[in-house]
Amino acid sequence: MRQSSLVVVANRLPLDDSAAPDGACEWRRSPGGLASALHAILEQTPATWVGWAGGVGPAPTLPDIGSLRIRPIALSEAELRGYYEGFANSTLWPLYHDAVEQPVFDRGWWETYQAVNRRFAEAAAEVAEPQAAVWVQDYHLQLVPQMLRELRPDLLIGFFLHVPFPPPELFTQLPRRVELLRGMLGADLVGFQRPQAAHNIAQLATRLLGAQATDDTILLDGRTVRTGAFPVSIDVAEMQALARRPDVVSQAEQLRIRLGRPRRVLLSVDRLDYTKGIEHRLTAYSELLRDGRVQVHDSVVVQVAVPSRERVDSYKVLRDRIEGEVGRINGEYGRVGEPAIHYLNQPFDRAELAALYQTADVMVVTPLRDGMNLVAKEYVAARADGSGALVLSEFAGAAAELEDAFLVNPHDVDGLKDTLLQAMDASPADLKRRMAAMREHLRNHDILAWARAYLTELDHTGRLAERLPTPPPGQPPRTRPARPVPRQRTVARRRPRA
Ligand code: ADP
Ligand code: F6P
């Protein structure tokens, strides 16, 4: 096995197998924030990506993607259930998202989560050169940093959590809280989306492990672990280039015609997930129709809900509820040839997404809780002419950066209705001003800036960041986190309490 000096370890590879139109197996880019973000930088960087290709049974043989080598990890049916669908997506995912859905604590899943984490750690140890940097991603692999440190103490180990990291009141519900915390803290640098998360882990390390901690340093077992906020972003240049492509522009025009040339197109693009607030949004829209504040011939809603985690019970139930509600709203308010909601439960390629973003006068992104939400950033990047309104939940990480969006509390349905109308009726001058400010922010905070900031913090010599693709002309290379992180709030040392 060839070795690399940079290894990324993430549950999912950036490729999904899907059936081509002729029925053959075709690999396409996986939906989901993590794959979108990392794929953009790693395609052009000599590195190895260790991850799962979807499906069960022996790992497939996958070609390199540009200069990126792929090291697939096999999962059995039982592992898929216990590790991915169980511990990762039925315990950690809901708990880390404010427990908006009840987390399931099934004791049987823990063994499998540990075993699969060990498999990822062993694969990473195998493909990492001496003194290489290994960058572990997300809640699926929280035990990998410590396991890897035991296997390969020579490595520089980074961990980045793409989802929110909860406050102690929620985290301490976890029966395996000590092991999970120690697992993450096996890294040299633990990165989060928001500064609050770094504060939460400092409190937890103090309370549960008796560590000495500030909001950017944790002293544990004689080792220093650094923590900080590095808000993830998108490949802005890619989305801007797509949005300018003549075929995408004409696809957007066609879409608008097919939608009946309404005055306003409202668009939402989500994984079909209970954290995304899809039901709250449908309720708000349906009430606007009921109250006569919007009419179907005038405003059209397009809801893209890409299938996700389809075998997990809570996701099946959610899909049934959403599809029932879309049916009810269309039945009640639609007219022949004029549905109130165009509902699409399917994946799209990047060009199709860019065309959809261009068609949307109002982009509605209203998760109940979201680590970042890259869809909001993609919309802003795609609005080449500076028009368009972004309605954005206060509870998405992106809200801290896209402050000129129409910010909203998605739990407040009346507030959501008013904000939707405000965005639909805003003056072109107001929209241009808001969009210009958000586009300016994104120009300086793209995916490269994120990776550069994280890797420079991981390795102060700059050796890692230098290997990333060069930034587009006119954009200075960033070497610090994109947003200042509050420093040095000391958390008092306490006795460990497991
Ligand atoms: P999450 O990480 O929870 O999936 P994000 O909004 O951060 O949420 O990221 C979602 C990513 O998945 C975006 O890059 C988006 O373009 C992509 N995506 C969403 N819906 C689809 C779809 N129907 N087809 C293809 N990609 C999608
Ligand atoms: O961003 C959170 C995340 O869990 C990513 O790790 C993942 O790529 C994305 O959501 C999609 O989820 P899944 O890999 O379960 O389809």
Side-chain angles (χ1 to χ4, degrees):
M1 168 52 77
R2 287 181 301 168
Q3 292 190 319
S4 294
S5 57
L6 176 61
V7 177
V8 165
V9 192
N11 170 61
R12 200 178 270 286
L13 288 170
L15 299 171
D16 251 358
D17 59 336
S18 55
D22 62 2
C25 172
E26 187 179 71
W27 293 95
R28 60 192 286 167
R29 183 157 149 181
S30 330
L34 186 156
S36 298
L38 286 168
H39 185 269
I41 35 173
L42 291 177
E43 202 173 8
Q44 304 167 55
T45 309
T48 298
W49 184 317
V50 177
W52 170 60
V56 291
T61 307
L62 291 170
D64 295 351
I65 309 175
S67 52
L68 176 65
R69 289 181 204 148
I70 300 292
R71 167 69 161 87
I73 296 285
L75 290 184
S76 69
E77 176 63 33
E79 287 166 345
L80 185 65
R81 286 197 185 280
Y83 151 75
Y84 172 75
E85 295 172 351
F87 199 81
N89 284 314
S90 299
T91 306
L92 296 179
W93 176 268
L95 189 82
Y96 284 13
H97 288 84
D98 286 357
V100 293
E101 186 81 20
Q102 181 61 40
V104 181
F105 300 115
D106 181 315
R107 279 172 281 174
W109 293 339
W110 174 246
E111 297 263 306
T112 318
Y113 184 80
Q114 279 179 297
V116 174
N117 270 244
R118 183 160 302 284
R119 185 170 311 149
F120 275 85
E122 282 166 356
E126 194 185 300
V127 297
E129 274 179 20
Q131 277 87 48
V134 180
W135 194 4
V136 183
Q137 312 286 325
D138 234 353
Y139 60 99
H140 314 85
L141 302 177
Q142 238 171 269
L143 302 177
V144 169
Q146 182 56 30
M147 289 174 168
L148 200 51
R149 180 164 298 283
E150 283 157 20
L151 289 167
R152 290 284 304 272
D154 61 303
L155 298 175
L156 190 58
I157 303 171
F159 179 78
F160 187 81
L161 190 71
H162 291 253
V163 301
F165 187 69
E169 307 84 89
L170 280 175
F171 187 86
T172 48
Q173 287 184 17
L174 280 168
R176 297 297 181 156
R177 57 202 189 181
V178 169
E179 290 96 321
L180 286 161
L181 200 55
R182 278 200 174 274
M184 284 167 91
L185 293 175
D188 295 290
L189 173 66
V190 178
F192 300 102
Q193 305 277 23
R194 304 277 302 117
Q196 180 62 42
H199 180 62
N200 292 346
I201 202 170
Q203 287 191 306
L204 282 162
T206 309
R207 268 171 68 174
L208 298 181
L209 307 178
Q212 237 181 329
T214 68
D215 282 6
D216 58 9
T217 312
I218 295 174
L219 267 175
L220 181 65
D221 303 337
R223 216 166 49 80
T224 302
V225 183
R226 284 165 293 135
T227 63
F230 304 84
V232 74
S233 194
I234 58 160
D235 188 346
V236 176
E238 182 221 28
M239 190 44 82
Q240 283 177 341
L242 275 175
R244 278 195 297 266
R245 247 173 50 184
D247 59 314
V248 171
V249 173
S250 97
Q251 203 182 340
E253 284 162 5
Q254 287 304 314
L255 275 170
R256 199 164 191 105
I257 293 168
R258 298 216 307 266
L259 289 168
R261 296 182 200 274
R263 191 171 68 89
R264 294 278 178 262
V265 175
L266 284 78
L267 172 69
S268 293
V269 174
D270 310 276
R271 273 185 312 98
L272 209 166
D273 194 297
Y274 48 80
T275 59
K276 301 291 181 183
I278 303 173
E279 291 178 283
H280 295 62
R281 207 182 289 155
L282 290 177
T283 304
Y285 192 65
S286 140
E287 288 190 13
L288 287 174
L289 288 167
R290 182 198 66 196
D291 302 343
R293 293 168 83 189
V294 296
Q295 277 78 36
V296 284
H297 62 269
D298 188 48
S299 310
V300 167
V301 166
V302 179
Q303 172 68 63
V304 175
V306 63
S308 184
R309 306 173 191 165
E310 287 180 290
R311 302 189 332 173
V312 176
D313 283 344
S314 49
Y315 287 74
K316 285 189 214 152
V317 170
L318 176 76
R319 180 170 172 179
D320 286 348
R321 282 205 310 256
I322 286 175
E323 295 186 350
E325 185 58 5
V326 169
R328 183 194 70 75
I329 297 171
N330 280 339
E332 209 159 317
Y333 302 105
R335 298 201 296 206
V336 175
E338 278 183 347
I341 297 173
H342 293 254
Y343 170 77
L344 301 158
N345 181 234
Q346 43 191 280
F348 289 96
D349 66 28
R350 308 296 297 162
E352 290 169 321
L353 282 174
L356 278 164
Y357 292 143
Q358 280 199 29
T359 312
D361 303 294
V362 182
M363 185 79 208
V364 190
V365 183
T366 54
L368 304 177
R369 175 62 71 193
D370 210 329
M372 175 52 62
N373 198 289
L374 296 185
V375 165
K377 292 187 172 181
E378 288 170 357
Y379 176 70
V380 171
R383 303 303 297 187
D385 67 357
S387 68
L390 174 65
V391 173
L392 179 61
S393 165
E394 292 167 17
F395 303 114
E401 295 176 80
L402 304 178
E403 292 164 335
D404 290 278
F406 292 85
L407 294 178
V408 68
N409 170 4
H411 298 277
D412 170 12
V413 174
D414 289 328
L416 181 51
K417 286 158 67 180
D418 291 344
T419 309
L420 288 174
L421 290 178
Q422 196 193 340
M424 287 164 79
D425 296 336
S427 72
D430 182 28
L431 293 179
K432 286 235 160 184
R433 181 195 60 73
R434 289 169 181 263
M435 191 53 80
M438 294 191 286
R439 286 175 66 82
E440 176 61 22
H441 176 84
L442 274 195
R443 250 193 299 283
N444 298 316
H445 299 84
D446 69 352
I447 188 65
L448 257 181
W450 169 72
R452 206 173 283 283
Y454 183 90
L455 292 177
T456 306
E457 188 64 41
L458 179 61
D459 171 17
H460 289 298
T461 65
R463 176 180 62 104
L464 284 172
E466 269 164 22
R467 305 167 40 145
L468 295 170
T470 40
Q475 191 182 306
R478 300 187 63 87
T479 51
R480 303 299 306 164
R483 288 227 145 203
V485 180
R487 302 271 161 192
Q488 300 296 338
R489 190 148 21 122
T490 308
V491 178
R493 189 179 175 140
R494 290 210 218 131
R495 288 175 59 74
R497 188 153 51 83

